[in-house]
Amino acid sequence: MKKNIADILNEPFSKIILANPRRHKQPLGKVFIRRIQIKGQIAFQREEFRGTQAFHNNMSQSETEAYLHKALSDFFREAYVLLDGEEWQCRLSKDCLQVKVNASQVQRTISTCHNKEKTYILPQGRPIPALIELGVMDRNGNVFKNQRDKYIQINNFLAILNDAMNRLPPKKHWTILDLCCGKSYLTFVLYYFMKEIRQQECHVIGADLKKDVIQKCTQIKQRLGFQEMDFIEGDIAAYNYGQGVDVVVSLHACDTATDIVLKYAMKNQVKLILSVPCCHKELAKQIQNKMLDPILKYGLLKERFAALLTDALRANVLENNGYRADVIEFVNFENSPKNVMIRAIWTGKKQTNEIQSLIDAFQITPSILTPL
């Protein structure tokens, strides 16, 4: 049986596999192609294996036709098209595919969904009073379209928090401090998460400089009946939150406010820190390095470099103060460009590193190294 490549792409396949390399040593290993849907439009996703790495790229139908023709001409002898109940073995011959149809007992689900519906800690369809009060959900538990990014951010934050808390020694009661809490979307959800999801006793405290924000959050707390929750107005660096804080979180604390959060946590040897920085203005004004002038002379690149340097310094300082620290992406860039999280767990083991060499190289005085 002969078919054009375009005909193959119109079939309801679950996957196309390119295999049987033409040369023993070639850059491409296996290649997988599947049909996806992006913003309501059909496209094709290519997954190429090169050594131990996988590379992904989305293509239109015409681009996929051209790619398959070249791949089967230059790199692979065969393509396997997997359908429900059948497997087609294809070889390219004079711009057409020679197709051998083999019966298969495998039942395959044909999906064109690009992003599969994810199971969240706070699932859609479950009314959550705090998120309803804050305008993220309606009273049936459906997330408003313009709040979906915030909903995803909060769920991803909770997933990381949940995993990290499971690594800590078990406790009957947790004290969680949200510094620079702002409108307190995360603060309220933390309380719900601890009480309803983890079913553990907790005291959740939100702190922020803005008086009107704290007043509004206190009113919401009272309406929700969250008795073991407090909001504090004032300078987060000057306030004494008492002993026994187990977890410090901070979502989008601006510029050096993130440093204040981290310094408070280190000073009190808080067991877990999850901090998502916001803007990074401080070092962008200070950086000087002649070797990197070809990069730093461009404002945008200087800002991005300053952000990388700032968060690298923060993570290294945490390690110097007894934490196991890492820097991760906690949400996709499409949901928020502010998607970098500093995660630190107290171990008591201090690591030495080359912080001073970075300071000397860029002639900087970072806030993370100044006293609280």
Side-chain angles (χ1 to χ4, degrees):
M1 178 171 65
K2 289 185 178 181
K3 281 185 174 289
N4 294 320
I5 292 177
D7 296 333
I8 295 288
L9 293 178
N10 289 326
E11 293 288 341
F13 63 86
S14 67
K15 186 186 292 185
I16 296 175
I17 303 173
L18 301 184
N20 195 356
R22 290 187 176 275
R23 294 183 294 278
H24 177 62
K25 290 185 178 181
Q26 65 179 33
L28 283 178
K30 281 186 178 179
V31 175
F32 298 153
I33 293 174
R34 65 186 184 95
R35 186 184 284 108
I36 61 174
Q37 198 173 83
I38 302 176
K39 296 181 180 180
Q41 300 296 316
I42 294 296
F44 298 86
Q45 186 179 80
R46 178 177 81 226
E47 183 177 20
E48 293 182 342
F49 292 85
R50 298 173 182 265
T52 59
Q53 293 183 295
F55 299 87
H56 298 82
N57 188 42
N58 297 334
M59 305 178 291
S60 66
Q61 177 149 339
S62 61
E63 289 172 333
T64 308
E65 290 177 27
Y67 177 85
L68 283 172
H69 190 280
K70 181 171 179 57
L72 289 170
S73 300
D74 298 345
F75 298 107
F76 299 97
R77 290 187 173 88
E78 294 177 318
Y80 293 89
V81 183
L82 310 185
L83 300 100
D84 185 17
E86 290 184 345
E87 292 182 4
W88 293 2
Q89 184 178 359
C90 307
R91 285 177 174 259
L92 187 65
S93 175
K94 296 181 180 180
D95 294 336
C96 284
L97 292 176
Q98 294 284 351
V99 179
K100 180 181 178 182
V101 179
N102 300 307
S104 171
Q105 299 301 313
V106 179
Q107 292 186 332
R108 299 183 173 94
T109 301
I110 312 302
S111 174
T112 59
C113 182
H114 188 201
N115 298 312
K116 295 180 180 178
E117 188 65 30
K118 186 175 179 180
T119 302
Y120 291 109
I121 286 180
L122 307 177
Q124 284 202 80
R126 178 193 293 178
I128 297 171
L131 292 182
I132 294 171
E133 183 74 36
L134 293 165
V136 177
M137 283 182 168
D138 66 21
R139 296 197 174 277
N140 295 317
N142 300 310
V143 177
F144 292 115
K145 187 175 180 180
N146 64 347
Q147 293 293 317
R148 184 156 183 83
D149 286 342
K150 188 175 294 293
Y151 165 78
I152 292 172
Q153 286 182 59
I154 290 171
N155 271 284
N156 287 9
F157 199 108
L158 291 181
I160 294 169
L161 173 66
N162 192 49
D163 177 70
M165 290 181 75
N166 288 338
R167 301 185 204 177
L168 297 175
K171 291 195 68 174
K172 291 183 178 179
H173 187 282
W174 296 80
T175 299
I176 302 176
L177 182 57
D178 184 359
L179 296 177
C180 304
C181 62
K183 294 181 180 178
S184 299
Y185 291 91
L186 179 62
T187 325
F188 286 109
V189 169
L190 283 170
Y191 189 91
Y192 176 88
F193 165 74
M194 292 299 296
K195 291 284 191 177
E196 303 296 330
I197 307 297
R198 288 186 67 98
Q199 297 189 342
Q200 290 186 289
E201 293 301 313
C202 67
H203 182 203
V204 176
I205 305 167
D208 200 275
L209 274 172
K210 297 178 182 177
K211 183 176 181 179
D212 58 333
V213 168
I214 293 300
Q215 288 177 341
K216 185 174 181 180
C217 290
T218 301
Q219 292 168 0
I220 294 173
K221 163 212 153 180
Q222 291 168 348
R223 288 199 295 269
L224 292 169
F226 288 178
Q227 296 180 352
E228 294 180 84
M229 170 179 273
D230 289 299
F231 288 96
I232 298 167
E233 174 212 339
D235 185 349
I236 62 171
Y239 197 88
N240 181 9
Y241 304 98
Q243 298 298 313
V245 175
D246 302 296
V247 181
V248 164
V249 302
S250 181
L251 184 60
H252 302 156
C254 192
D255 200 20
T256 56
T258 294
D259 298 302
I260 296 171
V261 170
L262 298 178
K263 287 188 286 188
Y264 167 83
M266 287 187 285
K267 181 179 178 180
N268 292 277
Q269 295 183 356
V270 170
K271 299 299 184 290
L272 172 63
I273 308 166
L274 298 179
S275 176
V276 178
C278 187
C279 52
H280 300 71
K281 298 176 183 177
E282 183 190 45
L283 296 194
K285 299 173 183 177
Q286 299 181 21
I287 292 175
Q288 295 182 53
N289 184 294
K290 289 186 177 180
M291 185 179 295
L292 294 181
D293 275 351
I295 297 173
L296 300 179
K297 70 178 181 179
Y298 300 107
L300 177 62
L301 298 182
K302 187 175 184 179
E303 287 177 11
R304 292 183 178 177
F305 185 85
L308 294 172
L309 179 59
T310 302
D311 290 335
L313 279 167
R314 288 165 172 166
N316 277 278
V317 170
L318 284 162
E319 290 175 348
N320 272 357
N321 284 271
Y323 287 86
R324 182 173 70 251
D326 55 359
V327 182
I328 61 174
E329 286 188 334
F330 83 105
V331 70
N332 291 332
F333 187 85
E334 64 187 25
N335 299 122
S336 173
K338 305 169 186 176
N339 64 345
V340 171
M341 173 187 284
I342 300 170
R343 174 176 58 188
I345 298 176
W346 170 255
T347 65
K349 298 177 182 179
K350 299 183 179 183
Q351 303 178 40
T352 57
N353 43 46
E354 300 299 322
I355 293 175
Q356 191 59 48
S357 64
L358 288 175
I359 292 170
D360 294 340
F362 297 103
Q363 303 177 50
I364 52 176
T365 306
S367 288
I368 191 64
L369 292 177
T370 60
L372 184 64

